[in-house]
Amino acid sequence: MPLRIHFTAADLARTRLADAPRPMLELDIALRLLQEGSHPVRFGAWRRESLRRLSPRVRRLFDLTPPTGWTAGFLDHATADSLEEALDRLRATPATRIRIDMRTWSERGQQRVVPAWTRSLGSDKRLITELADTAAHAHRQVIAPYQQHIDTLSRADRALRAHQATQGGLHTLLAGLNPRCIRWKEPVLELTMASGTDGDIHLAGRGLLLIPSVFGSEYPAVDDTAEPQPWVTYPVGLHGADPFLPPTDTARALSTIPDSLTALLGHTRAVVLWTISRHPNCTTTELARHAGISPASASQHATVLRTAGLSHTTRHHNTALHTTTPVGNRLLEAAT
């Protein structure tokens, strides 16, 4: 059964679009993705590189933000417009609220084992400060390197949603958010949740805030207790015909191709060399798919890289297999 959000006329009048993903909410979703292996094309390279950069102390955030289910309530600052605002709220959380939230969180988790270190959260102010500092570190490593691309995708999505609302009204907008997991059956919005949560939410005139998400590419997240109004996430999209961002577009947006390499080779060729290094012995078709370009373009760029001695192509029957050369590997290492 889905989770059902019930609208009145007043709710529809107060429903609005967020102008961009919320920093703390994107971090929450990203932390969940880092703990599981779904969507390898979309998030595989980002996941590997992010985990390599993260400090071991992020394990505490993982403890409080499981792959599915509830995040500890005092960490939930999804409505904050900036990361700094969210972290200030976190540092100022009263001890009483922390103890209540931890008790609620452990009960919601049912069979979840509550880590021993969390027992001091409601009495040791230092732990909250350290958690806020760890969240800042995590954001710097898993979100901030890609912020420019995330902003570009968000602006494109906002233009798409504004066009939907202009052409077909709020009903068209709601119906096109995420047809796989969000279905508009007037006056009810049905959500398929990753956790399988169901039930009924009555907005009671508060309306709904629709928040775009790059990392929330499949299932929605929702909070009906948020102030000043409940919110739900939906995946960013670029085209009205297909509201979902292609996996290769996400992968390219979440790549950390150094600016120096792009300046030397040009963006697309840098992407191709980077892709070959991440997918050794890939075919031209696979290279094109991972790089998000056409097979003809992939073949052309691979030829230029091969001529420059940065990649090598071997043939297996009628298939070309691409790998980077030692020179190409040194160039990539020097640029990072």
Side-chain angles (χ1 to χ4, degrees):
M1 293 291 291
L3 182 64
R4 296 171 295 277
I5 302 179
H6 298 261
F7 286 75
T8 64
D11 293 314
L12 289 172
R14 291 183 173 89
T15 292
R16 59 194 179 96
L17 274 170
D19 56 359
R22 291 297 194 256
M24 199 67 171
L25 180 55
E26 283 294 90
L27 178 59
D28 180 284
I29 298 171
L31 290 172
R32 296 169 183 271
L33 285 172
L34 286 172
Q35 298 175 73
E36 38 102 333
S38 65
H39 308 293
V41 172
R42 191 183 296 271
F43 296 116
W46 163 82
R47 188 180 282 119
R48 290 191 298 272
E49 295 193 8
S50 295
L51 288 172
R52 177 177 57 82
R53 293 194 298 262
L54 284 172
S55 164
R57 68 178 183 272
V58 172
R59 171 52 56 189
R60 288 187 170 182
L61 283 177
F62 288 161
D63 286 342
L64 299 173
T65 311
T68 60
W70 300 90
T71 295
F74 64 89
L75 287 175
D76 182 6
H77 295 288
T79 58
D81 291 326
S82 69
L83 181 69
E84 292 72 21
E85 178 186 349
L87 296 179
D88 286 344
R89 292 183 188 177
L90 176 56
R91 294 186 182 100
T93 307
T96 302
R97 182 192 165 181
I98 293 173
R99 287 192 289 269
I100 293 173
D101 284 353
M102 285 302 299
R103 183 165 57 250
T104 301
W105 178 76
S106 62
E107 291 170 352
R108 280 174 169 172
Q110 297 175 345
Q111 297 181 356
R112 177 191 297 130
V113 176
V114 179
W117 69 269
T118 64
R119 296 169 189 163
S120 301
L121 271 172
S123 58
D124 189 345
K125 186 68 175 178
R126 176 182 54 85
L127 280 178
I128 294 300
T129 300
E130 289 178 355
L131 275 179
D133 293 343
T134 300
H137 160 76
H139 190 275
R140 284 194 302 271
Q141 302 305 324
V142 306
I143 305 290
Y146 320 102
Q147 193 64 60
Q148 182 178 354
H149 296 301
I150 290 173
D151 291 343
T152 299
L153 293 175
S154 299
R155 286 192 294 269
D157 177 83
R158 186 167 180 80
L160 167 64
R161 306 306 170 181
H163 178 75
Q164 289 176 336
T166 300
Q167 296 298 310
L170 188 57
H171 296 275
T172 299
L173 172 63
L174 292 173
L177 290 175
N178 180 358
R180 297 172 189 164
C181 297
I182 302 178
R183 293 164 297 279
W184 174 240
K185 298 182 178 179
E186 186 179 359
V188 176
L189 198 65
E190 294 185 346
L191 311 181
T192 299
M193 307 296 293
S195 62
T197 301
D198 61 6
D200 294 276
I201 296 173
H202 294 272
L203 296 175
R206 296 172 295 169
L208 190 66
L209 177 63
L210 309 173
I211 303 178
S213 176
V214 171
F215 290 94
S217 63
E218 183 172 3
Y219 294 103
V222 63
D223 186 352
D224 65 313
T225 65
E227 296 293 342
Q229 66 183 150
W231 54 260
V232 65
T233 65
Y234 68 90
V236 298
L238 296 180
H239 309 291
D242 185 357
F244 300 102
L245 191 67
T248 52
D249 282 10
T250 308
R252 292 181 68 180
L254 299 180
S255 68
T256 52
I257 300 171
D259 292 339
S260 58
L261 189 65
T262 300
L264 177 65
L265 300 177
H267 178 74
T268 302
R269 197 159 294 156
V271 169
V272 171
L273 181 61
W274 190 267
T275 301
I276 293 173
S277 72
R278 293 297 184 273
H279 302 278
N281 289 313
C282 60
T283 67
T284 302
T285 300
E286 292 168 338
L287 173 59
R289 185 174 71 251
H290 291 308
I293 57 179
S294 69
S297 180
S299 178
Q300 179 185 12
H301 287 295
T303 298
V304 173
L305 293 171
R306 182 174 66 253
T307 303
L310 300 178
S311 70
H312 177 70
T313 301
T314 57
R315 296 240 169 226
H316 180 68
H317 300 302
N318 294 324
T319 302
L321 304 177
H322 305 282
T323 57
T324 50
T325 63
V327 175
N329 288 330
R330 285 197 293 272
L331 177 61
L332 289 167
E333 291 169 1
T336 55

